[in-house]
Amino acid sequence: MDYFQIRGGTPLQGRIPISGAKNAALPILAATLLTDKVSTLSNVPHLNDITTMVELLGALGADVAIDESMALQVSAAQLNNQRAPYELVKTMRASILVMGPLLARFGKAEVSFPGGCAIGSRPVDLHLKGFEAMGACIDVRDGYIVATTESGLKGCDFTFDTVTVGGTENLLMAAVLAEGRTVLRNAAREPEITDLVAFLRGMGAEIEGDDTSTLVIDGVSELAASHYSVMPDRIEAGTFLVAAAATRGRITVENANAEHLGIVLEKLRDAGVNVTVEGNTITADMTEGQLTSVDLITAPYPGFPTDMQAQFTALNVVAEGVGRITETIFENRLMQAHEMSRMGANITVDGHSVIIRGKSSIDGAPVMASDLRASASLVIAGLAAKGETHVDRIYHIDRGYERIEEKLQAVGADIVRKSR
Ligand code: UD1
């Protein structure tokens, strides 16, 4: 099993190119199932989750061609089955996103109950409730969710009980081919949803209200071929900016979109980091001044992203003062706190919060990654620590960060991938 060996203590300095966003590319790949025409995608990150989604499209009968620059051409003209098998779905929760497109186009979808990161209970009840509101019948058989519709999906007026990114994406994709108008209320407003809307619009879908919590979709009978470049990964960019701050370095991320990182950049500035934005680059400079703890509470966009919470925990661990970080989206997403304690961090878990008393230095230690963003936070802690850290189970990090060790090595980090 692979692990990272990190020798910390070096301030990171340099430039890092940001990849396409995993959380935008996955729903867009699922949306290619909505048409029998060819979809061409660029800026798709080279990640295990993307490979899993491509395998899933292939298992459904789609033809996927990938060139050396990771431009993908998907043709879903010859789909021959509507069943997303357990073997693929168990490794990636985003597999549930094929349900909306399959149901809309073929009137049938079978998807194994999803897996993914172990970060608490992650139901899909709202996806299913929405499909039912559009006229689908939902059944559960042998661990599979079976959705069918006799006479096609019908537009509806649906309000999400809680803001769900995946649920909004799934119903949005179903609605573009449904009969009549669908209104989705209390919809998620994450930039990745706006990216999916832009992709669908490029195929000929009729959607209004992106960037707001009410999406209005007028169903069309078919969608066309399209070309689309996936948005930059805001979480990858944010992760490297935090790494710059925690190591007292200076990193410029390139091909990034600062508009998507509003509150994250605000919190970095609150922490004393000199953040500057120029065009599509963002620089975090912590080579001077005092790094100070920040308080934050995760919330749906434009609130503080749950996907950046663990990285800010690492930042607080080596900052001056006391910070409280509260997770409101997921139940079990504070596991990195225990691992960071093993490195000498002063952290107390208090219900859904962690209280961190910053220290001038922490020590390297062997630690274990529990989920994707937790692994990124342990890498940051290792880079900021004195001595050697081993981060185990880095298959989690490979799901969401493209060549992270190479990108970090390029800015001076002493990090090596090893196998045991
Ligand atoms: C969530 C995050 C997203 C992040 C992703 C990966 C939010 C709002 N969503 O998206 O930013 O990139 O994890 O870490 O921050 N829920 C239900 N029923 C459902 C669906 C969801 O109760 O049918 C609940 C979940 O348990 C959770 C909340 O809604 O508490 C948000 O879940 P959701 O946005 O769907 O999760 P993801 O799409 O995985």
Side-chain angles (χ1 to χ4, degrees), residues 109-367:
E110 292 183 31
V111 180
S112 171
F113 263 109
C117 280
I119 52 177
S121 141
R122 298 179 78 176
V124 291
D125 56 316
L126 297 176
H127 305 227
L128 305 183
K129 210 171 151 191
F131 292 138
E132 278 176 338
M134 298 175 88
C137 293
I138 308 286
D139 212 354
V140 176
R141 274 183 236 141
D142 309 327
Y144 280 73
I145 307 166
V146 182
T148 48
T149 154
E150 291 290 311
S151 51
L153 294 177
K154 308 273 184 292
C156 69
D157 193 317
F158 184 77
T159 304
F160 290 98
D161 290 350
T162 179
V163 176
T164 153
V165 174
T168 302
E169 290 164 344
N170 228 342
L171 294 195
L172 171 63
M173 291 188 283
V176 293
L177 287 182
E179 191 186 317
R181 172 168 284 193
T182 301
V183 182
L184 299 177
R185 300 179 198 275
N186 197 25
R189 289 185 279 164
E190 266 66 2
E192 291 76 14
I193 290 184
T194 305
D195 214 44
L196 174 62
V197 168
F199 171 69
L200 293 169
R201 250 191 218 128
M203 299 167 95
E206 292 184 14
I207 305 164
E208 298 294 330
D210 34 326
D211 288 336
T212 79
S213 54
T214 305
L215 291 168
V216 180
I217 306 113
D218 284 309
V220 294
S221 55
E222 56 174 12
L223 294 166
S226 65
H227 282 74
Y228 195 73
S229 176
V230 174
M231 64 177 263
D233 196 312
R234 63 191 168 109
I235 305 301
E236 188 198 18
T239 300
F240 289 129
L241 296 174
V242 171
T247 62
R248 271 62 170 177
R250 184 181 195 276
I251 290 179
T252 299
V253 291
E254 299 171 335
N255 314 325
N257 185 339
E259 276 176 31
H260 297 159
L261 281 157
I263 194 164
V264 172
L265 301 186
E266 227 172 84
K267 289 289 172 191
L268 281 172
R269 289 188 176 112
D270 290 350
V273 183
N274 184 9
V275 178
T276 46
V277 176
E278 257 182 61
N280 65 355
T281 68
I282 311 169
T283 301
D285 187 350
M286 195 61 233
T287 51
E288 282 175 15
Q290 175 78 59
L291 185 65
T292 314
S293 293
V294 285
D295 294 336
L296 59 88
I297 301 176
T298 62
Y301 191 83
F304 191 91
T306 174
D307 282 350
M308 282 301 302
Q309 172 261 106
Q311 299 86 321
F312 269 76
T313 303
L315 181 132
N316 277 352
V317 160
V318 292
E320 171 78 20
V322 180
R324 174 183 271 266
I325 290 187
T326 305
E327 170 61 47
T328 69
I329 309 287
F330 294 116
E331 288 161 18
N332 197 13
R333 211 180 193 182
L334 300 170
M335 265 126 81
Q336 61 280 356
H338 304 293
E339 295 303 298
M340 287 179 197
S341 301
R342 309 186 63 248
M343 303 174 75
N346 187 340
I347 307 191
T348 319
V349 179
D350 174 21
H352 292 298
S353 301
V354 283
I355 298 149
I356 307 127
R357 289 179 176 78
K359 288 179 130 184
S360 54
S361 75
I362 54 168
D363 299 319
V367 289

